[in-house]
Amino acid sequence: MITLVFGMLLVLVGVWAMLTRKQIIRIIIGFTIVDTGIHLIIVAIGYVKGGTAPILDRAVSELPAAAAGVEALGKVVDPVPSALVLTAIVIGLAVTGLMLAYTVRLFKHGKSDSIDDYEEQKW
Amino acid sequence: MIKNILTVVAIIGLGWILYPLLVDFETSTVLNPLAQEYVKGSAADLNLPNAVTAVVVTYRGLDTLGEVTVLFLATAGIGYFLKRRSNKKAKQTAGSEILQTGAKLLTPLFMVFGIYIFSHGHLSPGGGFQGGVVIASGILMIVLAEVNFHFSHLILQFSESLSGIAYVGMGLAGLVLLGLNNFLDPRYFLPGNYLALFSAGAIPVIYSLIGIKVGSELASVLAAIQQDGGEA
């Protein structure tokens, strides 16, 4: 629950940063804050009360393989949101890198990192 | 002024959209049916302890394939934007004594740790993506420390494309060996013993290929940034 609240706050803070800042680098930082907030929201949705990581070793079950899954059902969190966040983090890293590379290119071209100096490229 | 008001309106609007999710949210006490199937199937069908890996590599394997593609596209974009125009030698200052010594000591350990993470992705938390990122951070350390460190583009290209092709090939092997519904099905290898390193069919192999792919993709991002350094 707290994770969900913090995630939503991070999304709002990140959007505020993206809308009000002028430097492109700070807008990108705002984007990464939104990204982190969304990760927290997804993880919070996948949480099951009292659950642990969905790894079916001796921590959740002493039974042999085929029966382990059934016994672990009440003890683990939802694996799907965890898998989604796992991939989303790496994608976020790559997209952030792409945006930063674009910023570097833009800075070389126009010698400025403020979006106000790129008015003609707005539309 | 009008812009500030619009900003506040946008933030409040977004908060208003998120608010019902927050109010009606209750932490669930049981797994939903889909997750139950995944957790049961992971142990029973795939002989795989880590249910997250089961989702990433097998049940949603197509998503992971698409994600590796997105990663490749982003890397290609970075390479394009940071392409060097002139032949000016990029200026780089050497790292301090501490950084250089630390990099020499730690980079091999980073590599081994990264390989450990992606080869044990089916048993413990971790996997190809995490392992690849750890390997890339080891490479980053040596890039920061050494002035005369040059990437071998041949090795980067080969490891990147070969691991990508091999990953698709492993997926297609399921199609050929197990039938038409089994793209990215890893069960054509022996299941092995539960909780052993060589178990869970082809999953460790697939996840290691993903690890090599992610590691070399991020290393080529570092190569692009290093080439570009000191020119702006």
Side-chain angles (χ1 to χ4, degrees):
Chain A
M1 191 68 191
I2 290 176
T3 319
L4 190 71
V5 174
F6 270 115
M8 287 180 179
L9 281 179
L10 279 180
V11 169
L12 293 179
V13 167
V15 171
W16 172 78
M18 283 161 82
L19 288 176
T20 56
R21 299 297 101 176
K22 294 290 179 207
Q23 290 90 345
I24 295 171
I25 298 276
R26 294 186 187 193
I27 295 173
I28 294 172
I29 293 174
F31 170 82
T32 59
I33 294 173
V34 175
D35 212 31
T36 313
I38 292 172
H39 297 162
L40 285 180
I41 292 175
I42 298 177
V43 167
I45 289 172
Y47 182 66
V48 173
K49 215 164 248 174
T52 180
I55 296 173
L56 313 175
D57 54 7
R58 283 172 211 92
V60 291
S61 171
E62 292 284 356
L63 295 174
V70 182
E71 203 210 355
L73 282 183
K75 297 180 189 168
V76 296
V77 302
D78 193 341
V80 180
S82 309
L84 289 179
V85 169
L86 186 158
T87 51
I89 290 173
V90 180
I91 287 295
L93 178 75
V95 171
T96 311
L98 183 61
M99 286 194 290
L100 288 171
Y102 188 59
T103 313
V104 169
R105 186 68 178 271
L106 208 57
F107 184 80
K108 276 183 199 164
H109 175 74
K111 297 291 169 212
S112 164
D113 70 338
S114 165
I115 44 168
D116 286 343
D117 295 330
Y118 298 101
E119 286 277 332
E120 78 277 7
Q121 289 166 8
K122 198 167 168 185
W123 303 115
Chain B
M1 189 59 212
I2 185 87
K3 201 173 163 250
N4 286 340
I5 295 170
L6 283 178
T7 307
V8 172
V9 169
I11 299 289
I12 291 175
L14 189 59
W16 187 54
I17 293 172
L18 291 175
Y19 183 69
L21 178 62
L22 189 62
V23 174
D24 296 339
F25 182 74
E26 281 170 18
T27 307
S28 53
T29 48
V30 286
L31 283 177
N32 60 48
L34 179 71
Q36 288 189 9
E37 284 305 312
Y38 283 168
V39 172
K40 274 192 279 190
S42 158
D45 298 339
L46 301 174
N47 205 25
L48 174 68
N50 189 341
V52 177
T53 300
V55 174
V56 169
V57 178
T58 304
Y59 294 119
R60 302 287 176 94
L62 204 58
D63 289 3
T64 307
L65 196 60
E67 198 221 339
V68 171
T69 315
V70 172
L71 196 63
F72 170 73
L73 283 178
T75 314
I78 292 170
Y80 171 73
F81 282 127
L82 295 181
K83 196 170 55 184
R84 252 175 101 185
R85 289 287 160 79
S86 61
N87 285 323
K88 250 189 304 178
K89 192 101 175 87
K91 283 192 289 287
Q92 197 194 2
T93 47
S96 68
E97 186 73 37
I98 296 173
L99 183 60
Q100 283 187 9
T101 316
K104 273 175 198 149
L105 179 68
L106 287 177
T107 303
L109 293 179
F110 268 69
M111 297 290 171
V112 174
F113 185 50
I115 291 168
Y116 166 77
I117 288 178
F118 71 59
S119 58
H120 288 69
H122 56 305
L123 302 176
S124 56
F129 293 101
Q130 298 91 324
V133 172
V134 169
I135 287 177
S137 54
I139 296 174
L140 171 66
M141 206 161 178
I142 209 148
V143 168
L144 288 177
E146 302 290 332
V147 187
N148 292 319
F149 181 76
H150 291 296
F151 285 95
S152 163
H153 288 278
L154 196 70
I155 292 178
L156 276 183
Q157 275 173 3
F158 263 95
S159 63
E160 199 178 318
S161 19
L162 279 184
S163 55
I165 290 169
Y167 176 31
V168 178
M170 298 294 279
L172 290 175
L175 211 61
V176 173
L177 295 172
L178 294 174
L180 282 179
N181 280 328
N182 296 355
F183 184 57
L184 284 169
D185 191 328
R187 282 179 291 182
Y188 52 85
F189 278 11
L190 292 175
N193 291 324
Y194 195 64
L195 287 175
L197 177 57
F198 295 103
S199 65
I203 285 179
V205 183
I206 293 178
Y207 230 7
S208 299
L209 288 171
I210 296 177
I212 296 168
K213 178 134 179 82
V214 171
S216 46
E217 300 265 9
L218 295 179
S220 64
V221 170
L222 292 174
I225 293 172
Q226 186 209 30
Q227 267 196 347
D228 190 74
E231 219 192 310

